Amino acid sequence: MPPRAAINIEDPAQLLPYLRGRRLIEDDEEPAFQALAGGVSNRAVLVKRKGRESLVIKQALNKLRVQVDWFSAPERIQREAAGLRSLASIIPGQVPEFVFEDFERNILAMTAVPHPHANWKTFLLNGCIDADFAQSFGSLLAKIHNAICRNPALADEFAERRFFEELRLEPYYGYSAKHVPQAAVFLHQLIDDTRARRFALAHGDYSPKNVLIYKNNLIILDFEVIHFGDPAFDVGFSLTHFLSKAHHLPAHRESFLDLARRHWQTYHDDLSAHLRERVRQYAAKHTLACMLARVAGRSPLEYLDAAERERQQQIVMALIEQDIADVPALINAFGAELRRNGE
């Protein structure tokens, strides 16, 4: 049987007959389509249905939408589908509902989070800071990391780490090592260690950008790099966003530093005892590596200007030299460096 014709879900003339043919909408429906912004690795379209639950359709891209060449196999949509199904029982009510998958065309359908909702990253950049959200964010991460304790089969289901390599280790740590040679030894050692550390189910993209706030509840999104691996990566990845915003928004610096502390402390308190020491050993290292990667890697934070990126790189390199092993101490040291640099 010949392969099915490719479609572009951002083209309504292609998406409408596709949805009808797949019985995702009725033949007489005329939904409204809205392309969703924010991601670089997928096309995403909101399908607004009258009187029915709306859908989000995602389609994985082979070449990511960034300035530098960055490729990843679009079959990773299968990993996202598996993540949606598994997380539905791990953090029920806090992920969209899986609806449909088309692996041949790398398409996934899920329920849309109802309106009104807000993206947490947008809230934070506008100075809307709520400590309760940071604590919930930490608690949810602990539940994800604790999941294999209750369901060991998840370790086998998510053992493949190809997409984590393509979308995180190489473009974040490997690319940064090439462009910041003085950090190369630190980053290459961390890459080797991360590959060897397999302790928990890791989200791999745990950031405020991938959180929608609906009725004061956090809805977690984007599971295309979920894998069985090093939970400390998620800690560093998530803390990076609070600390980078403390850098970018000096008027709210102390509030963002406090969010980082609350996120870490709630996560640490809710984490299974047997994981705590394993995470503590590497959480600060991953935080420093991710903070460097978000200014020197393939996907720099778009809200940091050139001067802020240079300053963050300098601060991170100074902290790497200090070999700080404790997350609270690292948060304090980063805040002190910002103040010392006149921020």
Side-chain angles (χ1 to χ4, degrees):
M1 179 179 293
R4 295 172 182 168
I7 73 165
N8 179 348
I9 66 168
E10 292 179 336
D11 180 355
Q14 297 183 47
L15 181 56
L16 182 60
Y18 175 81
L19 295 176
R20 287 174 174 167
R22 286 287 178 171
R23 298 289 184 263
L24 291 173
I25 62 172
E26 301 298 329
D27 289 341
D28 60 351
E29 273 192 78
E30 295 288 346
F33 298 130
Q34 177 187 341
L36 300 176
V40 299
S41 61
N42 299 276
R43 299 185 180 112
V45 176
L46 174 63
V47 181
K48 301 178 183 178
R49 307 176 69 195
K50 294 180 180 179
R52 297 179 173 91
E53 190 170 36
S54 296
L55 303 172
V56 170
I57 313 298
K58 292 186 69 172
Q59 184 176 37
L61 298 171
N62 178 58
K63 185 180 187 299
L64 279 66
R65 293 164 165 170
V66 294
Q67 292 183 349
V68 298
D69 285 343
W70 185 1
F71 300 89
S72 177
E75 291 82 9
R76 65 186 181 277
I77 203 76
Q78 301 175 30
R79 175 54 55 93
E80 175 136 24
L84 267 178
R85 290 190 293 263
S86 294
L87 269 293
S89 60
I90 296 170
I91 49 173
Q94 297 187 280
V95 295
E97 181 181 345
F98 169 82
V99 174
F100 170 80
E101 57 192 350
D102 179 351
F103 290 158
E104 193 168 352
R105 294 190 179 97
N106 307 306
I107 291 174
L108 166 69
M110 68 189 81
T111 57
V113 178
H115 285 280
H117 65 251
N119 181 271
W120 192 27
K121 173 186 175 181
T122 302
F123 260 29
L124 291 172
L125 286 174
N126 288 332
C128 301
I129 300 170
D130 189 322
D132 289 342
F133 290 151
Q135 291 176 203
S136 295
F137 196 50
S139 182
L140 288 172
L141 184 59
K143 289 179 181 178
I144 295 170
H145 290 172
N146 290 337
I148 286 177
C149 301
R150 298 186 301 274
N151 185 3
L154 292 171
D156 291 330
E157 181 177 0
F158 293 100
E160 172 60 57
R161 298 202 290 183
R162 171 187 177 185
F163 305 119
F164 179 66
E165 291 274 348
E166 292 177 348
L167 292 174
R168 291 295 172 267
L169 286 187
E170 188 284 326
Y172 281 70
Y173 293 0
Y175 188 91
S176 297
K178 292 178 183 177
H179 291 268
V180 188
Q182 60 269 39
V185 172
F186 173 79
L187 291 170
H188 283 306
Q189 183 61 59
L190 187 56
I191 290 171
D192 291 343
D193 291 347
T194 303
R195 287 172 175 157
R197 287 167 53 82
R198 293 174 175 252
F199 306 126
L201 187 64
H203 182 287
D205 197 7
Y206 203 70
S207 80
K209 175 181 70 70
N210 292 329
V211 176
L212 296 181
I213 300 171
Y214 174 63
K215 293 184 176 180
N216 284 323
N217 189 42
L218 303 189
I219 308 297
I220 309 298
L221 309 174
D222 287 0
F223 310 104
E224 61 186 359
V225 291
I226 192 170
H227 64 284
F228 178 54
D230 185 359
F233 178 86
D234 282 342
V235 176
F237 194 86
S238 55
L239 284 172
T240 288
H241 292 276
F242 299 125
L243 298 178
S244 296
K245 290 173 181 63
H247 180 188
H248 178 63
L249 298 171
H252 300 284
R253 178 197 302 141
E254 297 307 323
S255 295
F256 278 113
L257 294 175
D258 185 58
L259 287 188
R261 295 184 188 99
R262 288 173 181 265
H263 169 55
W264 162 256
Q265 193 60 56
T266 304
Y267 164 79
H268 180 268
D269 291 347
D270 289 355
L271 194 64
S272 296
H274 80 283
L275 286 175
R276 286 178 188 162
E277 183 56 33
R278 289 173 168 174
V279 169
R280 277 199 299 262
Q281 289 172 350
Y282 278 80
K285 292 180 180 180
H286 278 297
T287 303
L288 289 169
C290 285
M291 288 177 66
L292 181 60
R294 295 319 300 265
V295 298
R298 291 187 187 271
S299 182
L301 291 169
E302 81 290 347
Y303 55 81
L304 297 179
D305 63 26
E308 289 171 327
R309 291 176 189 177
E310 177 63 26
R311 189 180 302 115
Q312 183 151 311
Q313 179 174 315
Q314 292 173 353
I315 292 174
V316 169
M317 292 308 305
L319 295 178
I320 287 174
E321 290 296 321
Q322 294 179 34
D323 195 24
I324 300 172
D326 178 69
V327 167
L330 175 58
I331 295 170
N332 291 339
F334 183 72
E337 287 291 331
L338 289 178
R339 298 182 198 99
R340 191 174 70 83
N341 278 268
E343 282 292 298

